[in-house]
Amino acid sequence: MASTRASSTATKTKAPDDLVAPVVKKPHIYYGSLEEKERERLAKGESGILGKEGLKAGIEAGNINITSGEVFEIEEHISERQAEVLAEFERRKRARQINVSTDDSEVKACLRALGEPITLFGEGPAERRERLRNILSVVGTDALKKTKKDDEKSKKSKEEYQQTWYHEGPHTLKVARLWIANYSLPRAMKRLEEARLHKEIPETTRTSQVQELHKSLRSLNNFCSQIGDDRPISYCHFSPNSKMLATACWSGLCKLWSVPDCNLLHTLRGHNTNVGAIVFHPKSTVSLDQKDVNLASCAADGSVKLWSLDSDEPVADIEGHTVRVARVMWHPSGRFLGTTCYDRSWRLWDLEAQEEILHQEGHSMGVYDIAFHQDGSLAGTGGLDAFGRVWDLRTGRCIMFLEGHLKEIYGINFSPNGYHVATGSGDNTCKVWDLRQRRCIYTIPAHQNLVTGVKFEPIHGNFLLTGAYDNTAKIWTHPGWSPLKTLAGHEGKVMGLDISSDGQLIATCSYDRTFKLWMAE
């Protein structure tokens, strides 16, 4: 029995293999990073040959990218985006708080001040206002205030720059100014008295006189043409007694011709380059001796020479100019000589004291022409800066600024009536200015090319003569400024012109090397 019980127990404990339940392996749970484990495994070489070969094959195939240590910080980029979004919210908040004018013109002015386009294609006032608000939210409202302050400062600086300044002159200038005042005041009184007497003449008589004058001017014809030199003739001027004509040439020669037969009387040799002008002394051939200074001339090399009528050589040289002298002109008294220079100044010379008494600046470019008022009280200058100035010789002040021409002023002249000034310019026009109103009263569309000279009839100023580079000279009524006659005949540009003191003759000189005399039939 015992053996039987033991065998049954053994059979219970010893079960067949297929009835034994398999052992379940619990999965490993790792907390944290596997980086350290991987490092240990790789250090022990557990990856095996197959792992290394697989890694190598993956790299060669381009499926595994090995970096060079560059790191992309996601958190930083996220924070930058957040900052941009916050900044945009802040900007919009500031934009809502900015007050922008509803006046469209003010909005445009603000945009212009900020350097932005005042309008965009298809943009209306509301969109423009919103654009200004957005711009101000970025640059700040202080930027607009700053631009306004800068504009005010620039305006102030411009005003300060345009202010006239004075410096103390020599004692001889004071003496000359007093002398000019004493000389001009009686002449002004005489001119005004003549104007009153002329006004007392019946209007019908005055009208008939003007009509007769216009009729004679319309009948003007060229009665004499003379070749004056081998080079262009730049200037011509009648003597006070109307019996001689002086011409200036680019060859450096100045010549005196008899009038009206145009015979050569004298050849004045002394200049070595282009002569710009030659003018007779106001008393020459009338009361001045032939041995005295009767003429003055200037040239492109800055030389100014004085001449007598009994010698072909210059009597004296006026030194002091270093650049081109464009024009010379005698003061009506004959005591002073005015010169215009390309150094942006004009000068007044006292020939009795034999010195320069005034060196006047005021133009921003070279000064080209100068003219003196009939009374001797004023001087007018025209510059290459397209501006003219009228100067009071008794005080030194610039009493009128002639602004309006678009190009250089090449000619200026005072009317005998005392209050009209004419200027000729490179913009092909002639402007007439009124000294009483201090403004331009008429613009004559005179020529088709630049106007080289203007000249009023010297007795009463009944007509105005202009010459230009369109090869013609024209006569205009005064007042009225309507065309009376076109003097055509030159083959080259008209470079100079003059009217005789008795008003009977007109002279024109040209680039074609000739000068012509014109007279009514």
Side-chain angles (χ1 to χ4, degrees), residues 122-156:
E123 185 180 54
E127 291 88 352
R128 192 178 297 114
R129 188 164 174 262
E130 190 62 30
R131 182 160 61 91
L132 175 61
R133 180 182 277 112
N134 291 334
I135 292 168
L136 290 175
S137 68
V138 174
V139 300
T141 54
D142 293 336
L144 197 58
K145 295 176 184 176
K146 189 177 180 183
T147 53
K148 287 181 180 178
K149 286 180 182 178
D150 292 341
D151 290 341
E152 288 175 4
K153 284 181 181 178
S154 64
K155 284 180 183 177
K156 285 181 182 178

PDB file of all heavy atoms in Angstrom, residues 122-156:
ATOM      1  N   GLY A 122      -4.984 104.378 -56.447  1.00  0.00           N
ATOM      2  CA  GLY A 122      -6.275 103.912 -55.968  1.00  0.00           C
ATOM      3  C   GLY A 122      -6.554 104.208 -54.512  1.00  0.00           C
ATOM      4  O   GLY A 122      -7.508 103.682 -53.944  1.00  0.00           O
ATOM      5  N   GLU A 123      -5.736 105.053 -53.893  1.00  0.00           N
ATOM      6  CA  GLU A 123      -5.882 105.323 -52.462  1.00  0.00           C
ATOM      7  C   GLU A 123      -6.804 106.520 -52.248  1.00  0.00           C
ATOM      8  O   GLU A 123      -6.647 107.565 -52.873  1.00  0.00           O
ATOM      9  CB  GLU A 123      -4.502 105.612 -51.853  1.00  0.00           C
ATOM     10  CG  GLU A 123      -4.520 105.779 -50.355  1.00  0.00           C
ATOM     11  CD  GLU A 123      -3.131 106.069 -49.802  1.00  0.00           C
ATOM     12  OE1 GLU A 123      -2.510 107.039 -50.295  1.00  0.00           O
ATOM     13  OE2 GLU A 123      -2.675 105.344 -48.916  1.00  0.00           O
ATOM     14  N   GLY A 124      -7.764 106.349 -51.359  1.00  0.00           N
ATOM     15  CA  GLY A 124      -8.678 107.429 -51.016  1.00  0.00           C
ATOM     16  C   GLY A 124      -8.247 108.133 -49.745  1.00  0.00           C
ATOM     17  O   GLY A 124      -7.284 107.730 -49.080  1.00  0.00           O
ATOM     18  N   PRO A 125      -8.966 109.184 -49.351  1.00  0.00           N
ATOM     19  CA  PRO A 125      -8.602 109.932 -48.128  1.00  0.00           C
ATOM     20  C   PRO A 125      -8.591 109.067 -46.870  1.00  0.00           C
ATOM     21  O   PRO A 125      -7.713 109.223 -46.021  1.00  0.00           O
ATOM     22  CB  PRO A 125      -9.681 111.021 -48.055  1.00  0.00           C
ATOM     23  CG  PRO A 125     -10.166 111.177 -49.458  1.00  0.00           C
ATOM     24  CD  PRO A 125     -10.076 109.824 -50.075  1.00  0.00           C
ATOM     25  N   ALA A 126      -9.565 108.147 -46.766  1.00  0.00           N
ATOM     26  CA  ALA A 126      -9.620 107.301 -45.564  1.00  0.00           C
ATOM     27  C   ALA A 126      -8.424 106.358 -45.495  1.00  0.00           C
ATOM     28  O   ALA A 126      -7.794 106.202 -44.438  1.00  0.00           O
ATOM     29  CB  ALA A 126     -10.926 106.490 -45.573  1.00  0.00           C
ATOM     30  N   GLU A 127      -8.078 105.736 -46.645  1.00  0.00           N
ATOM     31  CA  GLU A 127      -6.912 104.842 -46.663  1.00  0.00           C
ATOM     32  C   GLU A 127      -5.620 105.617 -46.400  1.00  0.00           C
ATOM     33  O   GLU A 127      -4.707 105.136 -45.726  1.00  0.00           O
ATOM     34  CB  GLU A 127      -6.813 104.119 -48.017  1.00  0.00           C
ATOM     35  CG  GLU A 127      -7.902 103.103 -48.275  1.00  0.00           C
ATOM     36  CD  GLU A 127      -9.123 103.719 -48.931  1.00  0.00           C
ATOM     37  OE1 GLU A 127      -9.152 104.966 -49.025  1.00  0.00           O
ATOM     38  OE2 GLU A 127     -10.036 102.975 -49.318  1.00  0.00           O
ATOM     39  N   ARG A 128      -5.551 106.852 -46.938  1.00  0.00           N
ATOM     40  CA  ARG A 128      -4.362 107.679 -46.736  1.00  0.00           C
ATOM     41  C   ARG A 128      -4.197 108.037 -45.257  1.00  0.00           C
ATOM     42  O   ARG A 128      -3.095 108.023 -44.711  1.00  0.00           O
ATOM     43  CB  ARG A 128      -4.479 108.946 -47.591  1.00  0.00           C
ATOM     44  CG  ARG A 128      -3.198 109.743 -47.703  1.00  0.00           C
ATOM     45  CD  ARG A 128      -3.386 110.954 -48.596  1.00  0.00           C
ATOM     46  NE  ARG A 128      -3.715 110.550 -49.959  1.00  0.00           N
ATOM     47  CZ  ARG A 128      -4.879 110.784 -50.550  1.00  0.00           C
ATOM     48  NH1 ARG A 128      -5.833 111.438 -49.903  1.00  0.00           N
ATOM     49  NH2 ARG A 128      -5.107 110.391 -51.791  1.00  0.00           N
ATOM     50  N   ARG A 129      -5.334 108.344 -44.633  1.00  0.00           N
ATOM     51  CA  ARG A 129      -5.314 108.678 -43.202  1.00  0.00           C
ATOM     52  C   ARG A 129      -4.870 107.474 -42.376  1.00  0.00           C
ATOM     53  O   ARG A 129      -4.072 107.599 -41.437  1.00  0.00           O
ATOM     54  CB  ARG A 129      -6.721 109.119 -42.801  1.00  0.00           C
ATOM     55  CG  ARG A 129      -6.851 109.677 -41.412  1.00  0.00           C
ATOM     56  CD  ARG A 129      -8.176 110.425 -41.273  1.00  0.00           C
ATOM     57  NE  ARG A 129      -8.382 110.838 -39.911  1.00  0.00           N
ATOM     58  CZ  ARG A 129      -9.133 110.165 -39.019  1.00  0.00           C
ATOM     59  NH1 ARG A 129      -9.750 109.053 -39.391  1.00  0.00           N
ATOM     60  NH2 ARG A 129      -9.276 110.609 -37.803  1.00  0.00           N
ATOM     61  N   GLU A 130      -5.352 106.292 -42.749  1.00  0.00           N
ATOM     62  CA  GLU A 130      -4.970 105.075 -42.031  1.00  0.00           C
ATOM     63  C   GLU A 130      -3.484 104.767 -42.239  1.00  0.00           C
ATOM     64  O   GLU A 130      -2.791 104.317 -41.316  1.00  0.00           O
ATOM     65  CB  GLU A 130      -5.836 103.910 -42.520  1.00  0.00           C
ATOM     66  CG  GLU A 130      -5.699 102.641 -41.699  1.00  0.00           C
ATOM     67  CD  GLU A 130      -6.126 102.820 -40.252  1.00  0.00           C
ATOM     68  OE1 GLU A 130      -7.031 103.666 -40.001  1.00  0.00           O
ATOM     69  OE2 GLU A 130      -5.553 102.143 -39.384  1.00  0.00           O
ATOM     70  N   ARG A 131      -2.994 105.032 -43.455  1.00  0.00           N
ATOM     71  CA  ARG A 131      -1.568 104.797 -43.726  1.00  0.00           C
ATOM     72  C   ARG A 131      -0.691 105.724 -42.888  1.00  0.00           C
ATOM     73  O   ARG A 131       0.343 105.314 -42.358  1.00  0.00           O
ATOM     74  CB  ARG A 131      -1.289 105.011 -45.218  1.00  0.00           C
ATOM     75  CG  ARG A 131       0.152 104.753 -45.630  1.00  0.00           C
ATOM     76  CD  ARG A 131       0.262 104.502 -47.121  1.00  0.00           C
ATOM     77  NE  ARG A 131      -0.183 105.638 -47.909  1.00  0.00           N
ATOM     78  CZ  ARG A 131       0.624 106.633 -48.322  1.00  0.00           C
ATOM     79  NH1 ARG A 131       1.906 106.593 -48.024  1.00  0.00           N
ATOM     80  NH2 ARG A 131       0.157 107.623 -49.048  1.00  0.00           N
ATOM     81  N   LEU A 132      -1.128 106.962 -42.756  1.00  0.00           N
ATOM     82  CA  LEU A 132      -0.368 107.909 -41.923  1.00  0.00           C
ATOM     83  C   LEU A 132      -0.368 107.453 -40.468  1.00  0.00           C
ATOM     84  O   LEU A 132       0.662 107.510 -39.781  1.00  0.00           O
ATOM     85  CB  LEU A 132      -0.973 109.306 -42.047  1.00  0.00           C
ATOM     86  CG  LEU A 132      -0.355 110.382 -41.146  1.00  0.00           C
ATOM     87  CD1 LEU A 132       1.129 110.572 -41.475  1.00  0.00           C
ATOM     88  CD2 LEU A 132      -1.094 111.702 -41.270  1.00  0.00           C
ATOM     89  N   ARG A 133      -1.539 106.953 -39.993  1.00  0.00           N
ATOM     90  CA  ARG A 133      -1.604 106.480 -38.607  1.00  0.00           C
ATOM     91  C   ARG A 133      -0.658 105.300 -38.395  1.00  0.00           C
ATOM     92  O   ARG A 133       0.051 105.230 -37.383  1.00  0.00           O
ATOM     93  CB  ARG A 133      -3.045 106.075 -38.281  1.00  0.00           C
ATOM     94  CG  ARG A 133      -3.201 105.575 -36.859  1.00  0.00           C
ATOM     95  CD  ARG A 133      -4.604 105.121 -36.551  1.00  0.00           C
ATOM     96  NE  ARG A 133      -5.458 106.248 -36.195  1.00  0.00           N
ATOM     97  CZ  ARG A 133      -6.471 106.695 -36.920  1.00  0.00           C
ATOM     98  NH1 ARG A 133      -6.771 106.085 -38.062  1.00  0.00           N
ATOM     99  NH2 ARG A 133      -7.204 107.705 -36.529  1.00  0.00           N
ATOM    100  N   ASN A 134      -0.607 104.382 -39.357  1.00  0.00           N
ATOM    101  CA  ASN A 134       0.289 103.226 -39.235  1.00  0.00           C
ATOM    102  C   ASN A 134       1.756 103.652 -39.244  1.00  0.00           C
ATOM    103  O   ASN A 134       2.570 103.108 -38.496  1.00  0.00           O
ATOM    104  CB  ASN A 134       0.023 102.234 -40.369  1.00  0.00           C
ATOM    105  CG  ASN A 134      -1.329 101.548 -40.228  1.00  0.00           C
ATOM    106  OD1 ASN A 134      -1.852 101.428 -39.125  1.00  0.00           O
ATOM    107  ND2 ASN A 134      -1.899 101.132 -41.352  1.00  0.00           N
ATOM    108  N   ILE A 135       2.082 104.631 -40.097  1.00  0.00           N
ATOM    109  CA  ILE A 135       3.475 105.104 -40.153  1.00  0.00           C
ATOM    110  C   ILE A 135       3.863 105.763 -38.844  1.00  0.00           C
ATOM    111  O   ILE A 135       4.946 105.528 -38.292  1.00  0.00           O
ATOM    112  CB  ILE A 135       3.654 106.072 -41.337  1.00  0.00           C
ATOM    113  CG1 ILE A 135       3.513 105.326 -42.669  1.00  0.00           C
ATOM    114  CG2 ILE A 135       5.024 106.759 -41.286  1.00  0.00           C
ATOM    115  CD1 ILE A 135       3.392 106.229 -43.873  1.00  0.00           C
ATOM    116  N   LEU A 136       2.953 106.591 -38.296  1.00  0.00           N
ATOM    117  CA  LEU A 136       3.243 107.264 -37.028  1.00  0.00           C
ATOM    118  C   LEU A 136       3.341 106.270 -35.878  1.00  0.00           C
ATOM    119  O   LEU A 136       4.096 106.500 -34.926  1.00  0.00           O
ATOM    120  CB  LEU A 136       2.159 108.307 -36.732  1.00  0.00           C
ATOM    121  CG  LEU A 136       2.152 109.545 -37.640  1.00  0.00           C
ATOM    122  CD1 LEU A 136       0.968 110.432 -37.317  1.00  0.00           C
ATOM    123  CD2 LEU A 136       3.450 110.328 -37.478  1.00  0.00           C
ATOM    124  N   SER A 137       2.601 105.169 -35.949  1.00  0.00           N
ATOM    125  CA  SER A 137       2.698 104.167 -34.884  1.00  0.00           C
ATOM    126  C   SER A 137       4.056 103.479 -34.892  1.00  0.00           C
ATOM    127  O   SER A 137       4.474 102.940 -33.872  1.00  0.00           O
ATOM    128  CB  SER A 137       1.581 103.135 -35.045  1.00  0.00           C
ATOM    129  OG  SER A 137       1.780 102.358 -36.219  1.00  0.00           O
ATOM    130  N   VAL A 138       4.736 103.490 -36.053  1.00  0.00           N
ATOM    131  CA  VAL A 138       6.068 102.868 -36.143  1.00  0.00           C
ATOM    132  C   VAL A 138       7.166 103.875 -35.781  1.00  0.00           C
ATOM    133  O   VAL A 138       8.026 103.604 -34.938  1.00  0.00           O
ATOM    134  CB  VAL A 138       6.301 102.305 -37.568  1.00  0.00           C
ATOM    135  CG1 VAL A 138       7.727 101.786 -37.709  1.00  0.00           C
ATOM    136  CG2 VAL A 138       5.305 101.196 -37.867  1.00  0.00           C
ATOM    137  N   VAL A 139       7.128 105.047 -36.423  1.00  0.00           N
ATOM    138  CA  VAL A 139       8.215 106.019 -36.210  1.00  0.00           C
ATOM    139  C   VAL A 139       7.972 106.904 -35.003  1.00  0.00           C
ATOM    140  O   VAL A 139       8.900 107.538 -34.497  1.00  0.00           O
ATOM    141  CB  VAL A 139       8.409 106.896 -37.469  1.00  0.00           C
ATOM    142  CG1 VAL A 139       8.767 106.049 -38.668  1.00  0.00           C
ATOM    143  CG2 VAL A 139       7.174 107.733 -37.769  1.00  0.00           C
ATOM    144  N   GLY A 140       6.728 106.959 -34.540  1.00  0.00           N
ATOM    145  CA  GLY A 140       6.413 107.793 -33.397  1.00  0.00           C
ATOM    146  C   GLY A 140       5.977 109.189 -33.823  1.00  0.00           C
ATOM    147  O   GLY A 140       6.408 109.716 -34.847  1.00  0.00           O
ATOM    148  N   THR A 141       5.111 109.797 -33.041  1.00  0.00           N
ATOM    149  CA  THR A 141       4.611 111.148 -33.362  1.00  0.00           C
ATOM    150  C   THR A 141       5.698 112.202 -33.225  1.00  0.00           C
ATOM    151  O   THR A 141       5.587 113.290 -33.787  1.00  0.00           O
ATOM    152  CB  THR A 141       3.430 111.500 -32.445  1.00  0.00           C
ATOM    153  OG1 THR A 141       3.835 111.329 -31.078  1.00  0.00           O
ATOM    154  CG2 THR A 141       2.230 110.611 -32.733  1.00  0.00           C
ATOM    155  N   ASP A 142       6.758 111.886 -32.489  1.00  0.00           N
ATOM    156  CA  ASP A 142       7.850 112.855 -32.328  1.00  0.00           C
ATOM    157  C   ASP A 142       8.576 113.101 -33.646  1.00  0.00           C
ATOM    158  O   ASP A 142       9.161 114.162 -33.840  1.00  0.00           O
ATOM    159  CB  ASP A 142       8.866 112.353 -31.283  1.00  0.00           C
ATOM    160  CG  ASP A 142       8.256 112.318 -29.893  1.00  0.00           C
ATOM    161  OD1 ASP A 142       7.287 113.075 -29.665  1.00  0.00           O
ATOM    162  OD2 ASP A 142       8.749 111.551 -29.048  1.00  0.00           O
ATOM    163  N   ALA A 143       8.547 112.112 -34.544  1.00  0.00           N
ATOM    164  CA  ALA A 143       9.230 112.280 -35.831  1.00  0.00           C
ATOM    165  C   ALA A 143       8.613 113.423 -36.623  1.00  0.00           C
ATOM    166  O   ALA A 143       9.315 114.198 -37.280  1.00  0.00           O
ATOM    167  CB  ALA A 143       9.158 110.980 -36.640  1.00  0.00           C
ATOM    168  N   LEU A 144       7.279 113.547 -36.557  1.00  0.00           N
ATOM    169  CA  LEU A 144       6.599 114.629 -37.274  1.00  0.00           C
ATOM    170  C   LEU A 144       6.948 115.980 -36.670  1.00  0.00           C
ATOM    171  O   LEU A 144       7.204 116.952 -37.390  1.00  0.00           O
ATOM    172  CB  LEU A 144       5.087 114.394 -37.226  1.00  0.00           C
ATOM    173  CG  LEU A 144       4.227 115.162 -38.230  1.00  0.00           C
ATOM    174  CD1 LEU A 144       4.656 114.869 -39.645  1.00  0.00           C
ATOM    175  CD2 LEU A 144       2.764 114.823 -38.036  1.00  0.00           C
ATOM    176  N   LYS A 145       7.001 116.031 -35.346  1.00  0.00           N
ATOM    177  CA  LYS A 145       7.391 117.288 -34.684  1.00  0.00           C
ATOM    178  C   LYS A 145       8.816 117.664 -35.039  1.00  0.00           C
ATOM    179  O   LYS A 145       9.137 118.824 -35.267  1.00  0.00           O
ATOM    180  CB  LYS A 145       7.249 117.142 -33.164  1.00  0.00           C
ATOM    181  CG  LYS A 145       5.818 116.938 -32.700  1.00  0.00           C
ATOM    182  CD  LYS A 145       5.773 116.701 -31.202  1.00  0.00           C
ATOM    183  CE  LYS A 145       4.349 116.405 -30.748  1.00  0.00           C
ATOM    184  NZ  LYS A 145       4.309 116.081 -29.292  1.00  0.00           N
ATOM    185  N   LYS A 146       9.682 116.639 -35.103  1.00  0.00           N
ATOM    186  CA  LYS A 146      11.096 116.887 -35.429  1.00  0.00           C
ATOM    187  C   LYS A 146      11.247 117.443 -36.835  1.00  0.00           C
ATOM    188  O   LYS A 146      12.008 118.382 -37.071  1.00  0.00           O
ATOM    189  CB  LYS A 146      11.879 115.588 -35.290  1.00  0.00           C
ATOM    190  CG  LYS A 146      13.378 115.778 -35.383  1.00  0.00           C
ATOM    191  CD  LYS A 146      14.094 114.458 -35.169  1.00  0.00           C
ATOM    192  CE  LYS A 146      15.605 114.643 -35.268  1.00  0.00           C
ATOM    193  NZ  LYS A 146      16.325 113.370 -35.125  1.00  0.00           N
ATOM    194  N   THR A 147      10.487 116.866 -37.807  1.00  0.00           N
ATOM    195  CA  THR A 147      10.575 117.369 -39.191  1.00  0.00           C
ATOM    196  C   THR A 147      10.065 118.801 -39.277  1.00  0.00           C
ATOM    197  O   THR A 147      10.613 119.619 -40.010  1.00  0.00           O
ATOM    198  CB  THR A 147       9.759 116.470 -40.131  1.00  0.00           C
ATOM    199  OG1 THR A 147       8.416 116.342 -39.633  1.00  0.00           O
ATOM    200  CG2 THR A 147      10.374 115.106 -40.273  1.00  0.00           C
ATOM    201  N   LYS A 148       9.016 119.126 -38.520  1.00  0.00           N
ATOM    202  CA  LYS A 148       8.509 120.504 -38.511  1.00  0.00           C
ATOM    203  C   LYS A 148       9.544 121.459 -37.938  1.00  0.00           C
ATOM    204  O   LYS A 148       9.762 122.554 -38.461  1.00  0.00           O
ATOM    205  CB  LYS A 148       7.218 120.584 -37.695  1.00  0.00           C
ATOM    206  CG  LYS A 148       6.017 119.961 -38.401  1.00  0.00           C
ATOM    207  CD  LYS A 148       4.764 120.086 -37.560  1.00  0.00           C
ATOM    208  CE  LYS A 148       3.563 119.458 -38.277  1.00  0.00           C
ATOM    209  NZ  LYS A 148       2.338 119.521 -37.446  1.00  0.00           N
ATOM    210  N   LYS A 149      10.221 121.017 -36.871  1.00  0.00           N
ATOM    211  CA  LYS A 149      11.282 121.854 -36.289  1.00  0.00           C
ATOM    212  C   LYS A 149      12.430 122.054 -37.276  1.00  0.00           C
ATOM    213  O   LYS A 149      12.958 123.157 -37.418  1.00  0.00           O
ATOM    214  CB  LYS A 149      11.804 121.211 -35.006  1.00  0.00           C
ATOM    215  CG  LYS A 149      10.865 121.330 -33.823  1.00  0.00           C
ATOM    216  CD  LYS A 149      11.461 120.671 -32.584  1.00  0.00           C
ATOM    217  CE  LYS A 149      10.506 120.748 -31.411  1.00  0.00           C
ATOM    218  NZ  LYS A 149      11.061 120.063 -30.208  1.00  0.00           N
ATOM    219  N   ASP A 150      12.798 120.973 -37.987  1.00  0.00           N
ATOM    220  CA  ASP A 150      13.875 121.075 -38.982  1.00  0.00           C
ATOM    221  C   ASP A 150      13.490 122.027 -40.105  1.00  0.00           C
ATOM    222  O   ASP A 150      14.317 122.817 -40.577  1.00  0.00           O
ATOM    223  CB  ASP A 150      14.195 119.688 -39.563  1.00  0.00           C
ATOM    224  CG  ASP A 150      14.836 118.775 -38.535  1.00  0.00           C
ATOM    225  OD1 ASP A 150      15.350 119.304 -37.534  1.00  0.00           O
ATOM    226  OD2 ASP A 150      14.808 117.552 -38.737  1.00  0.00           O
ATOM    227  N   ASP A 151      12.206 121.961 -40.542  1.00  0.00           N
ATOM    228  CA  ASP A 151      11.742 122.875 -41.587  1.00  0.00           C
ATOM    229  C   ASP A 151      11.814 124.321 -41.122  1.00  0.00           C
ATOM    230  O   ASP A 151      12.237 125.206 -41.878  1.00  0.00           O
ATOM    231  CB  ASP A 151      10.294 122.536 -41.987  1.00  0.00           C
ATOM    232  CG  ASP A 151      10.205 121.226 -42.746  1.00  0.00           C
ATOM    233  OD1 ASP A 151      11.248 120.779 -43.269  1.00  0.00           O
ATOM    234  OD2 ASP A 151       9.108 120.651 -42.810  1.00  0.00           O
ATOM    235  N   GLU A 152      11.406 124.551 -39.877  1.00  0.00           N
ATOM    236  CA  GLU A 152      11.470 125.914 -39.338  1.00  0.00           C
ATOM    237  C   GLU A 152      12.910 126.409 -39.269  1.00  0.00           C
ATOM    238  O   GLU A 152      13.208 127.552 -39.594  1.00  0.00           O
ATOM    239  CB  GLU A 152      10.830 125.954 -37.948  1.00  0.00           C
ATOM    240  CG  GLU A 152       9.310 125.813 -37.981  1.00  0.00           C
ATOM    241  CD  GLU A 152       8.722 125.727 -36.595  1.00  0.00           C
ATOM    242  OE1 GLU A 152       9.495 125.845 -35.611  1.00  0.00           O
ATOM    243  OE2 GLU A 152       7.488 125.553 -36.473  1.00  0.00           O
ATOM    244  N   LYS A 153      13.816 125.503 -38.849  1.00  0.00           N
ATOM    245  CA  LYS A 153      15.234 125.882 -38.772  1.00  0.00           C
ATOM    246  C   LYS A 153      15.791 126.205 -40.146  1.00  0.00           C
ATOM    247  O   LYS A 153      16.516 127.183 -40.330  1.00  0.00           O
ATOM    248  CB  LYS A 153      16.050 124.750 -38.142  1.00  0.00           C
ATOM    249  CG  LYS A 153      15.898 124.647 -36.647  1.00  0.00           C
ATOM    250  CD  LYS A 153      16.769 123.518 -36.098  1.00  0.00           C
ATOM    251  CE  LYS A 153      16.614 123.374 -34.595  1.00  0.00           C
ATOM    252  NZ  LYS A 153      17.439 122.246 -34.073  1.00  0.00           N
ATOM    253  N   SER A 154      15.436 125.372 -41.153  1.00  0.00           N
ATOM    254  CA  SER A 154      15.931 125.625 -42.515  1.00  0.00           C
ATOM    255  C   SER A 154      15.379 126.934 -43.059  1.00  0.00           C
ATOM    256  O   SER A 154      16.083 127.683 -43.729  1.00  0.00           O
ATOM    257  CB  SER A 154      15.552 124.461 -43.427  1.00  0.00           C
ATOM    258  OG  SER A 154      14.153 124.364 -43.550  1.00  0.00           O
ATOM    259  N   LYS A 155      14.098 127.220 -42.760  1.00  0.00           N
ATOM    260  CA  LYS A 155      13.524 128.492 -43.199  1.00  0.00           C
ATOM    261  C   LYS A 155      14.244 129.661 -42.563  1.00  0.00           C
ATOM    262  O   LYS A 155      14.564 130.650 -43.217  1.00  0.00           O
ATOM    263  CB  LYS A 155      12.031 128.542 -42.855  1.00  0.00           C
ATOM    264  CG  LYS A 155      11.153 127.701 -43.777  1.00  0.00           C
ATOM    265  CD  LYS A 155       9.697 127.811 -43.367  1.00  0.00           C
ATOM    266  CE  LYS A 155       8.826 126.912 -44.245  1.00  0.00           C
ATOM    267  NZ  LYS A 155       7.404 126.942 -43.814  1.00  0.00           N
ATOM    268  N   LYS A 156      14.514 129.531 -41.272  1.00  0.00           N
ATOM    269  CA  LYS A 156      15.237 130.605 -40.573  1.00  0.00           C
ATOM    270  C   LYS A 156      16.622 130.799 -41.154  1.00  0.00           C
ATOM    271  O   LYS A 156      17.069 131.921 -41.379  1.00  0.00           O
ATOM    272  CB  LYS A 156      15.338 130.281 -39.079  1.00  0.00           C
ATOM    273  CG  LYS A 156      14.039 130.484 -38.321  1.00  0.00           C
ATOM    274  CD  LYS A 156      14.223 130.169 -36.844  1.00  0.00           C
ATOM    275  CE  LYS A 156      12.914 130.333 -36.077  1.00  0.00           C
ATOM    276  NZ  LYS A 156      13.074 129.989 -34.642  1.00  0.00           N
TER     277      LYS A 156
END
